[in-house]
Each structure stands twice: as structure tokens, then as C-alpha cells.
Amino acid sequence: DAGITQSPRHKVTETGTPVTLRCHQTENHRYMYWYRQDPGHGLRLIHYSYGVKDTDKGEVSDGYSVSRSKTEDFLLTLESATSSQTSVYFCAIRLSGREQNEQFFGPGTRLTVL
Amino acid sequence: EDQVTQSPEALRLQEGESSSLNCSYTVSGLRGLFWYRQDPGKGPEFLFTLYSAGEEKEKERLKATLTKKESFLHITAPKPEDSATYLCAVWWGGATNKLIFGTGTLLAVQP
């Protein structure tokens, strides 16, 4: 499982509250990614990181921010949660090695915004 | 527009009944194509990477192939434990390894 954990695994919150999801890896991978998965849309990239303090936007980044102050942790923050952000969130890492380009995914966080 | 389309959306097979899942793409500058398996309530599990047309990869009852416009995941003599959603993703993002995912094929194999 590439040593990826996500916390919390489930969360219910109310509209307008801030929410932070954590992705933790144990193997010093450089690249980390946050996706959301919704019925009919597949997995969509929110933000990604290519090193400590180096992050960039994906295709659905509005309403989300990220931070990476340590190699092992990549945080996703919803500053003010909305019902449209109800989703399953997956973190992924990319293996660091020659000819290794696969992304490996964490177990996911199910977020419900009421 | 870069797009990845998977078909069929759902497939029901009898145990032992072989079939194929399709992943077609309209992405310029394809760098690779990935297949994943996803079980309910879990994260996608990596299966294969294909880099160039004509390439094939096999693992147990699964075989993935790639052409210039599409990829197939062939399932030979499936078992109930092969039931899952199968996702394909296209790599287009250069060094940052950004992927475009299809919406998946839900496979159900009945005993």
C-alpha cells in the first residue's frame, strides 16, 4: 500500500466550517496528489505537490488549499466547506525511481458536508 | 479537449465467461496509460502501466493492451473475486505525472 494513511477516514461537517484532511506517507516520496471521486466524474485532481513547500493546482482546485511543510505530510484544507464538496477524497503518491511512474493511492476519506 | 472514456459502464459475466473492457482516449502526447482496480470503499489498486502502442502486460487472468487510440483490459475465465470497478487513467502531464481518469467499468462476476 506504499505506506499511505489518510485521516480522518470519515467526517461529517456543516456548511461553512473549515476542514483539514491529512495524508501521511512513510517512504519519502517526492510527489503527492489529492483527488476527489464523485459518481459520474471519476477521479479528479485537486492539488499536487512536487516537494516540500512546492505545490500546484489541479483541475478542480477552487475552494481548496494545500500545504506541505514536511515530506511525509500533505494537507488538504477546505476553508469554508460547501455541500458540493461532499465527496470521497484520495491521496496518492508517485513512486520515485527510474521508469516508475505509477501513482499509489491511500484508503480515502469520506467527507459529508451538511 | 483531452478525454478518457471507458465502456461499458457496467458488465455482468458468468464465472468463466471471458470478456474485454475498453478505454479510449483523445489525449495529445500520451506518455502512458494506467489500469487500476477499485473495490467498494477502498482506494484504487494499481494493476498495469502501458507506454507504447503494441505493448501488452499480463497478471493472472488479466491482460492489458494498448493501441494509439485505446486500451483493452481482457479478462480470461473470470472468478467472482474479480468483481470490482476497473479504472483507466492517461498520463499527460510531463514530469508532474498528472493523470486523467475515466469513470470506470463496474464488473460483476456471478458464480
Side-chain angles (χ1 to χ4, degrees), chain A residues 20 24 34 36 39 41 44 46 53 57 60-61 63 67 79 85 88 95 97 104 109:
Chain A
T20 295
H24 179 78
W34 275 108
R36 60 178 290 174
H41 287 279
R44 292 180 291 173
I46 305 171
K53 298 188 179 179
K57 296 179 181 180
V60 290
S61 59
S67 66
E79 301 290 349
Q85 294 175 312
V88 181
L95 294 185
F104 287 80
T109 294

Side-chain angles (χ1 to χ4, degrees), chain B residues 32-64:
Chain B
L33 186 142
F34 304 87
W35 281 98
Y36 289 86
R37 169 194 171 123
Q38 186 174 26
D39 292 302
K42 296 192 175 181
E45 174 190 345
F46 171 74
L47 293 173
F48 303 110
T49 306
L50 301 166
Y51 288 108
S52 56
E55 188 174 0
E56 298 183 351
K57 293 275 181 73
E58 284 189 72
K59 178 180 179 180
E60 296 181 354
R61 295 176 293 281
L62 301 178
K63 178 176 159 181

Side-chain angles (χ1 to χ4, degrees), chain B residues 25 30 33 50-55 64-68 70-72:
Chain B
Y25 57 90
L30 177 78
L33 186 142
L50 301 166
Y51 288 108
S52 56
E55 188 174 0
T65 62
L66 181 65
T67 73
K68 288 186 178 180
E70 59 192 347
S71 177
F72 292 94

Side-chain angles (χ1 to χ4, degrees), chain A residues 4 7 13 30 36 38-39 41 46 49-51 53 60 64 70-71 75-76 78-79 84 87 91 101 110-111 114:
Chain A
I4 307 168
S7 59
T13 191
R30 178 183 174 192
R36 60 178 290 174
D38 306 287
H41 287 279
I46 305 171
S49 170
Y50 45 96
K53 298 188 179 179
V60 290
Y64 301 95
K70 299 185 290 184
T71 299
L75 304 180
L76 177 70
L78 291 65
E79 301 290 349
S84 64
S87 187
C91 172
N101 299 293
R110 181 172 295 276
L111 176 67
L114 301 176

